[in-house]
Amino acid sequence: MNDAVHQHQFVSLSDADAPVLSRFSYSAAEPFAVSLSFQSGDGTWTDWTFARDLLIAGLAGPVGEGDVRIRPALARDEEFFAVEFESPGGYALVELLRIDVETFLEAASGVVPIGTEEAFFDVDALIDELTNV
């Protein structure tokens, strides 16, 4: 059984002239979270980690308060999935193909089925990580 999923795709980024390479990641080691990363022109990656449930709920409609928000109405049409990222350092609107998001979530649910995340979450490891600073 695979314990992680990684999926690359090109996305439309609000301030970029051309599509940007992005990567979805999901790991059984962090069963509640997904990461969406973007490659910059110099080859470095910027990572955003947020709840997998947020991504799932975003398929049905607008969701999110804070740094990551999913706003379907901001996408150019129904084929796309719009995600807003905001931090003190800036703002970005990303459009992904909806089918890519659905494919990624299906693969991630093959690693950790939706609703079973707690069975994969190691609270003792988290406590050790937090107390060994």
Side-chain angles (χ1 to χ4, degrees):
M1 176 174 117
N2 288 337
D3 65 350
V5 173
H6 305 285
Q7 175 182 303
H8 290 81
Q9 63 270 322
F10 284 100
V11 299
S12 174
L13 190 59
S14 57
D15 61 351
D17 294 333
V20 174
L21 182 62
S22 71
R23 174 184 63 218
F24 266 125
S25 299
Y26 181 79
S27 171
E30 294 186 33
F32 293 101
V34 296
S35 292
L36 184 55
S37 307
F38 305 97
Q39 190 175 42
S40 66
D42 65 2
T44 59
W45 289 88
T46 300
D47 303 316
W48 286 85
T49 301
F50 52 96
R52 175 169 74 161
D53 285 349
L54 183 75
L55 196 57
I56 293 166
L59 289 171
V63 65
E65 297 176 15
D67 294 351
V68 181
R69 298 176 301 274
I70 298 174
R71 301 289 181 257
L74 297 178
R76 68 184 95 167
D77 62 43
E78 292 176 359
E79 285 185 52
F80 290 89
F81 189 84
V83 182
E84 292 179 293
F85 296 96
E86 190 167 10
S87 73
Y91 169 86
L93 174 66
V94 178
E95 285 187 312
L96 302 109
L97 282 170
R98 186 177 192 81
I99 190 72
D100 288 346
V101 175
E102 292 167 347
T103 300
F104 170 73
L105 286 171
E106 184 177 323
S109 70
V111 173
V112 175
I114 295 167
T116 67
E117 294 88 353
E118 286 186 20
F120 291 81
F121 185 67
D122 187 349
V123 72
D124 293 328
L126 176 62
I127 292 170
D128 287 345
E129 182 181 332
L130 294 173
T131 57
N132 288 323
V133 176

